[in-house]
Amino acid sequence: AAGVIQSPRHLIKEKRETATLKCYPIPRHDTVYWYQQGPGQDPQFLISFYEKMQSDKGSIPDRFSAQQFSDYHSELNMSSLELGDSALYFCASSLWTSGHNEQFFGPGTRLTVL
Amino acid sequence: EDQVTQSPEALRLQEGESSSLNCSYTVSGLRGLFWYRQDPGKGPEFLFTLYSAGEEKEKERLKATLTKKESFLHITAPKPEDSATYLCAVQGLGDKLIFGTGTRLQVFP
């Protein structure tokens, strides 16, 4: 079965640079979620989109922004990168209209800020 | 405040030695409790969703149960390939999943 696709899988940036992470949800899924997982920590919710509209917001820094496009893929834009932004970034997707709340996660993008 | 606590933090089992992982939670308006398996450097893999107290679900050697305050993940006759971190998460009134810090399971042959 098709899964969530994330690109790139690995990204190395310098401090103060910008980064763009992409997420392609499972086909027919209409909701996308972004999470950040630091080393040895649990995933922390950043933001979610349903039908291209922001539906919920968590602990996402003002330096980060995200959007969902008409084909349901999503991009997380990160500016003025800091060392503390180094983490695994996961995208998850779900089908809101299914009535079930399962979120299926992608393989993640490992961001390293030097 | 919504919160999830998992215990133990780490668990070492001999192959075939059954055990249980605990997930205690407090949440406003539980919409679902989720169990995931995560291997190092990989994304969480969905295992189960439980929606109401008394519900149980099974998959191979795993069985998840739910009460009003906690959930258990029972592992029967585990194999080395069951070694992973098991994450519990709850969903309340918003979209976000609130995760516990996980239980690192190691199964030795």
Side-chain angles (χ1 to χ4, degrees):
Chain A
V4 176
I5 297 171
Q6 292 188 245
S7 67
R9 295 294 310 280
H10 302 272
L11 192 56
I12 299 176
K13 291 287 185 179
E14 300 278 341
K15 281 195 317 184
R16 293 180 289 277
E17 286 191 322
T18 61
T20 297
L21 280 55
K22 296 185 178 183
C23 168
Y24 298 85
I26 292 171
R28 295 188 295 112
H29 279 195
D30 50 20
T31 307
V32 170
Y33 314 80
W34 286 97
Y35 290 83
Q36 177 191 59
Q37 187 175 30
Q41 298 180 357
D42 53 288
Q44 296 293 315
F45 173 76
L46 294 176
I47 197 166
S48 60
F49 292 87
Y50 167 66
E51 286 289 345
K52 302 175 284 291
M53 298 289 289
Q54 180 182 307
S55 60
D56 199 1
K57 190 173 181 180
S59 50
I60 183 169
D62 292 340
R63 300 177 288 109
F64 295 4
S65 65
Q67 57 182 325
Q68 185 181 32
F69 295 85
S70 57
D71 64 351
Y72 294 102
H73 94 273
S74 179
E75 295 184 3
L76 178 65
N77 299 293
M78 310 161 72
S79 63
S80 303
L81 287 169
E82 302 174 355
L83 296 178
D85 296 328
S86 296
L88 270 169
Y89 289 84
F90 292 109
C91 172
S93 73
S94 70
L95 179 60
W96 185 268
T97 53
S98 71
H100 301 284
N101 306 331
E102 292 90 355
Q103 296 181 19
F104 296 91
F105 283 75
T109 294
R110 181 176 294 280
L111 173 66
T112 303
V113 181
L114 302 176
Chain B
E1 181 184 349
D2 299 342
Q3 193 170 358
V4 176
T5 302
Q6 291 188 247
S7 63
E9 288 187 10
L11 183 61
R12 293 163 56 98
L13 297 175
Q14 200 74 30
E15 184 173 3
E17 179 186 3
S18 301
S19 188
S20 295
L21 282 54
N22 177 263
C23 171
S24 299
Y25 66 92
T26 55
V27 65
S28 301
L30 179 70
R31 291 172 56 205
L33 184 141
F34 306 84
W35 283 98
Y36 287 88
R37 168 192 171 131
Q38 187 174 29
D39 293 297
K42 297 191 176 181
E45 175 189 343
F46 172 76
L47 294 174
F48 302 109
T49 309
L50 301 167
Y51 293 103
S52 57
E55 190 174 359
E56 298 183 353
K57 288 192 177 174
E58 285 188 71
K59 179 182 178 181
E60 297 181 349
R61 296 178 291 282
L62 300 177
K63 179 180 177 180
T65 62
L66 180 65
T67 72
K68 287 185 178 179
K69 293 183 179 180
E70 58 190 352
S71 176
F72 291 93
L73 184 65
H74 307 278
I75 302 177
T76 303
K79 298 181 178 182
E81 53 261 42
D82 294 322
S83 298
T85 295
Y86 290 84
L87 294 169
C88 172
V90 296
Q91 186 177 41
L93 300 176
D95 285 354
K96 67 180 179 183
L97 294 181
I98 301 161
F99 284 88
T101 51
T103 293
R104 291 190 313 279
L105 174 65
Q106 290 181 295
V107 182
F108 294 91

